[in-house]
């Protein structure tokens, strides 16, 4: 779960943002999808390879973003 830490009244509050996540995972196939609590939209699941130093670019979002990662069966 990613949350924009800017509060009402802070510069840039509500402006769109994006980021790149970096993390280590077991070396196995995964799937990832994103969900915006603001819009209610859910992305399709896409294949994602695990391993050391995985990088995942988020789409542009406002306020919060749920990143859902699951091991591919």
């Amino acid at each position: 779960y990613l949350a924009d830490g800017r509060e009402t009244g802070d510069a840039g509050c509500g402006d769109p943002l994006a980021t790149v996540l970096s993390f280590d995972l077991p070396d196995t196939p995964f799937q990832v999808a994103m969900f915006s609590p603001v819009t209610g939209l859910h992305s399709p699941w896409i294949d994602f390879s695990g391993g050391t130093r995985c990088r995942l670019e988020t789409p542009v979002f406002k306020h919060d973003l749920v990143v859902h990662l699951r091991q591919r069966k």
Side-chain angles (χ1 to χ4, degrees):
Y1 193 93
L2 304 176
D4 185 349
R6 299 173 290 187
E7 299 292 334
T8 301
D10 290 349
C13 180
D15 287 351
L17 61 147
T19 191
V20 177
L21 304 174
S22 180
F23 45 87
D24 294 337
L25 290 170
D27 192 14
T28 187
F30 287 87
Q31 292 181 314
V32 64
M34 314 248 179
F35 172 74
S36 169
V38 174
T39 65
L41 296 176
H42 196 277
S43 75
W45 288 97
I46 59 169
D47 291 336
F48 185 78
S49 297
T52 306
R53 296 186 184 151
C54 296
R55 291 175 45 88
L56 179 63
E57 293 183 37
T58 68
V60 174
F61 65 97
K62 288 186 178 183
H63 301 294
D64 300 326
L65 183 70
V66 176
V67 179
H68 188 170
L69 190 66
R70 67 183 181 191
Q71 193 168 7
R72 195 170 63 205
K73 296 180 180 182

